[in-house]
Amino acid sequence: MSDITTTELVAESPLSEAWAVFRRSGLALFGLGLLLLIIIVSVVGPFIYVVDPFDIIWAPFTEPGVEAIVPLGTDQLGRDILAGLIYGGNATLLVGVSAALITVIIGISIGAMAGFYGGLADNILMRVTEFFQVLPPLLFAMVLVTLFSPSLPIVAIAIGVVSWPATARLARAEFIRIRNLEYVNAARSIGSKNSRIIWRVILPNALPPLIVSSTLSVGIAILFEAGLSFLGLSDPNVMSWGLMIGSGREYILDAWWVVTLPGAMIFLTVLSVSLVGDGLNDAFNPKLRER
Amino acid sequence: MKFAKYLLAASLLASTVITGGVAVAQKAGGTVVIGTTQKPRHLNPAVQSGIATAVPGTQIFATPIRFDDKWNPQPYLAESWKTSPDGKSITLNMRKNATFHDGKPITSADVAFSVQTVKDNHPFKTMFAPVTSVETPDAHTAIINFSSPHPAALLAMSSALLPIIPKHVYGDGQDAKKHPANSKPVGSGPYMLEEFKPGEHVILKKNPNYFIKDRPLLDRIIIKNYKDVTSMVLAVDKGEIDMLPFLTGTRNLARLKKNADLTVTNEGYAAVGPLNWLAFNTTNKYFKDKRVRQAIAYAIDRKFIVNALHSGFSKTATGPVVLGSPYGAPDVEAYDLDLDKAKALLDVAGFKADGDGMRFKVELDFIPAFAEMQKTVAEYIKPQLKKVGIIVSLRSSPDFPSWAKRVGGHEFEMSMDIVFNWGDPVIGVHRTYICSNIKKGVIWSNTQSYCNKDVDALLASAGAELDQAKRVDLYQKAQAIIVDEAPQVFLNELPYHTVYSNKIGNAPTSIWGAMAPMDNVFLK
């Protein structure tokens, strides 16, 4: 890549510039490709591979690669593992993304208020944040899921509710850093309303680290979902990777593929999300950009 | 010369086989460590049911009668007993040499006190409900009077069900359920309490003044609590503990069976009679029709459950009484898998299939424990019933109390459930069928809300029938009706197994298994 191209891209838009940095990293590109592949398979797969993942279609504990009809084998009941992986990916990604969205919405709102207004508001909001932060997240999520019935939306909400404090702290730090910069003072001096300053002036400039952290929180949410399912606290009527591991774990010594395959999917997904997150971090970090 | 070597080897082998066949002399001494994940709250089985209290409780306390492995009553604290011709009283002639662990003699007053305490406090109300009075004509004779003949009484006087507790300790006016001596029990059984650390262990030591001569054989029994089954199974596999009663995990059983130093047996659970079933709420708009319930019974392949899900370790259940009991009913409708019949029954019941072949949607609950028996079977039932057009959605409960609240409160459509026979049908079976036991809020009552006057009448007369053959006949008739009307689908008997080290002689295999005195257990 020549310097001239880079300069030209910079002139066009900061996003294209970030993309240029992003694609310089092979690992980030690999993560992005993997993630896209997983998303496409989970979203499009159910329309192509039409097998109910709950149906018993073959003998239990069929090994992968033995029967053409169940290429990845069957679990303890004789359910198709491949169908489970495809349909389960759908639910797992859905929970991961919606939980991350909840995290971001709560986290940024609270962090922005605290960072922007400071003083008493900051004090109160940060004490609330600390309250949530000191609770062990998995236990807290278990309590929430237990209180309501374990269904997919509840699981997503529970994960979102327990993981927003980190995002809030990050947002607060960014807002404190930016709120006294010259362009914010300029906006203030021309009489902009606080809400406009928060959402239109500061937030776009605080976004880069927040985008990185929310990308990573998708991965964390997927792990959380798997953890809750493993403990038997997920919707038993929706196939997810965590559910597959949770119900197959007792058979790991007899049939490795029942838990290993969904486990590998979780691993690959979280890995790809993390790689993308790292790539984004590099891309948005101005110091690295100058290197 | 090679031949001679073979000959030598063969004769050596033969001689070991022969000596192996000779009974090993019963040696005294030694310590047996028993592993369990069940933690007792206290050690007094007079006011507490359950395995956790029963295993140590039956070592500490003695009962009037005990049972062998063929359902025959044997003398224990009572030297002999006699049922009156009308069946309305049982006279117990108590041993004269028996003393409590504190040295005080056991008298008929203690028997009367124990019967009253159990009647007032034990959760199994039917055991002594017919008792009107206990007469004590002399210090060693107790006559228990019943309002009606009560053939279940003998079983109710064995195992952990009627521990003879000392009146001079427990009769001080305190609430028996919260009595401090429940954690420092004074009994008369083969072992006495040395140390009770709740959640960690119960250490029992030999009772030197036990009323049976030269017994018990062991110096100590340690009942060690484990937090999870896996570490407990590893411990027995490595030889760190000697015995694991009440093990159900079929994967673990298969693994332990490969260990040549261990014996894995399913003997010793005949009286427990643990059943795994699918229960219907018969007030539900779909399940009030018996044809729907039968259809579901026909749609479930119990052979698959036993062979594929439980690796052949469990047994198919046929009806409300387990087949190991003399009152089991082997000849009732077996509901062999028949999807066409199931569909036809649903059609006749008026639940026609829609365009997608679906008829209606129901929720299925399950106990959040014993996954192999409950959750896994529920996961199997879901796609299986879809084949006949019933959409099942599983409803998981976060913990046992939440499940018990839903099912006990009749807030369910259908649920997996595990219910024990507890020896006599009067104790463990009547409760889930008789109309008068439809009690909202009580788990393991008649939560199915099943009510049939004929069944009520048959069970009532069977419960008071003294003639064994007639009693068996009455129970079989009642079960034929129950199985036909299918308030539950009887799936399988729990694969309870005892795993014990081959060092142990006379492992507990009577009908009550480890819930019976282990006074003749020894170390080879």
Side-chain angles (χ1 to χ4, degrees), chain A residues 52 54-56 60-61 76-77 79 146 150 233-234 236-237 247 250-251 253-254, chain B residues 251 255 304 308-309 371-372 375-376 379-380 382-383 386 392-396 398:
Chain A
D52 187 331
F54 286 101
D55 274 357
I56 294 167
F61 295 127
Q76 68 278 9
L77 294 174
R79 301 181 293 197
T146 306
L233 290 170
S234 70
N237 299 297
S247 57
E250 290 184 31
Y251 309 96
L253 293 175
D254 307 84
Chain B
R251 304 283 138 185
R255 175 198 166 107
F304 182 88
L309 301 184
E372 269 189 335
K375 184 169 178 240
T376 307
E379 284 177 341
Y380 158 72
K382 180 184 165 88
K386 198 179 130 195
V392 177
S393 70
L394 304 187
R395 184 169 66 157
S396 53

Side-chain angles (χ1 to χ4, degrees), chain B residues 293-462:
Chain B
R293 310 196 294 260
Q294 289 170 333
I296 289 176
Y298 280 117
I300 295 172
D301 186 2
R302 287 177 285 182
K303 290 201 184 80
F304 182 88
I305 294 177
V306 166
N307 294 327
L309 301 184
H310 300 155
S311 319
F313 279 99
S314 67
K315 281 184 279 188
T316 335
T318 56
V321 182
V322 293
L323 287 181
S325 159
Y327 307 107
D331 300 323
V332 291
E333 171 61 50
Y335 292 108
D336 287 324
L337 178 68
D338 192 338
L339 294 179
D340 294 330
K341 200 165 181 178
K343 285 179 196 157
L345 278 164
L346 290 168
D347 284 341
V348 177
F351 298 107
K352 300 264 191 249
D354 66 10
D356 298 329
M358 293 301 134
R359 299 164 198 273
F360 56 85
K361 207 178 160 197
V362 287
E363 267 185 342
L364 171 58
D365 285 272
F366 54 90
I367 306 176
F370 292 105
E372 269 189 335
M373 300 297 128
Q374 295 278 301
K375 184 169 178 240
T376 307
V377 176
E379 284 177 341
Y380 158 72
I381 288 174
K382 180 184 165 88
Q384 191 64 18
L385 292 190
K386 198 179 130 195
K387 291 182 187 166
V388 296
I390 300 171
I391 301 168
V392 177
S393 70
L394 304 187
R395 184 169 66 157
S396 53
S397 305
D399 51 18
F400 178 79
S402 335
W403 171 84
K405 204 175 152 214
R406 284 168 173 177
V407 175
H410 301 182
E411 289 155 10
F412 73 108
E413 296 185 305
M414 52 182 190
S415 178
M416 300 291 303
D417 199 352
I418 293 175
V419 179
F420 291 1
N421 277 182
W422 286 111
D424 196 280
V426 166
I427 305 170
V429 178
H430 288 210
R431 56 179 173 162
T432 47
Y433 302 99
I434 53 178
C435 307
S436 59
N437 208 28
I438 302 175
K439 287 179 180 158
K440 226 176 194 173
V442 182
I443 191 64
W444 299 318
S445 61
N446 187 348
T447 45
Q448 289 71 239
S449 305
Y450 171 74
C451 186
N452 180 323
K453 296 289 169 213
D454 294 338
V455 170
D456 262 21
L458 281 167
L459 291 180
S461 34

Side-chain angles (χ1 to χ4, degrees), chain B residues 201-387:
Chain B
H201 57 233
V202 179
I203 301 178
L204 304 169
K205 61 179 179 199
K206 181 178 188 156
N207 171 9
N209 302 314
Y210 189 46
F211 53 84
I212 300 176
K213 201 173 167 283
D214 298 332
R215 297 271 186 89
L217 295 164
L218 298 172
D219 289 334
R220 263 190 186 77
I221 292 179
I222 299 174
I223 301 173
K224 198 173 166 195
N225 282 132
Y226 280 84
K227 287 195 174 58
D228 63 298
V229 180
T230 311
S231 54
M232 186 169 78
V233 165
L234 286 175
V236 79
D237 205 11
K238 284 191 278 182
E240 286 167 10
I241 50 178
D242 307 303
M243 195 194 301
L244 282 190
F246 297 98
L247 198 64
T248 57
T250 59
R251 304 283 138 185
N252 287 329
L253 290 170
R255 175 198 166 107
L256 293 176
K257 242 187 168 168
K258 290 184 198 136
N259 187 332
D261 298 329
L262 298 174
T263 302
V264 177
T265 177
N266 61 0
E267 282 174 53
Y269 300 98
V272 179
L275 284 172
N276 192 33
W277 69 41
L278 170 68
F280 299 109
N281 184 343
T282 60
T283 60
N284 177 276
K285 61 183 168 191
Y286 307 115
F287 301 134
K288 66 183 179 209
D289 189 329
K290 93 172 180 187
R291 290 168 298 192
V292 175
R293 310 196 294 260
Q294 289 170 333
I296 289 176
Y298 280 117
I300 295 172
D301 186 2
R302 287 177 285 182
K303 290 201 184 80
F304 182 88
I305 294 177
V306 166
N307 294 327
L309 301 184
H310 300 155
S311 319
F313 279 99
S314 67
K315 281 184 279 188
T316 335
T318 56
V321 182
V322 293
L323 287 181
S325 159
Y327 307 107
D331 300 323
V332 291
E333 171 61 50
Y335 292 108
D336 287 324
L337 178 68
D338 192 338
L339 294 179
D340 294 330
K341 200 165 181 178
K343 285 179 196 157
L345 278 164
L346 290 168
D347 284 341
V348 177
F351 298 107
K352 300 264 191 249
D354 66 10
D356 298 329
M358 293 301 134
R359 299 164 198 273
F360 56 85
K361 207 178 160 197
V362 287
E363 267 185 342
L364 171 58
D365 285 272
F366 54 90
I367 306 176
F370 292 105
E372 269 189 335
M373 300 297 128
Q374 295 278 301
K375 184 169 178 240
T376 307
V377 176
E379 284 177 341
Y380 158 72
I381 288 174
K382 180 184 165 88
Q384 191 64 18
L385 292 190
K386 198 179 130 195
K387 291 182 187 166

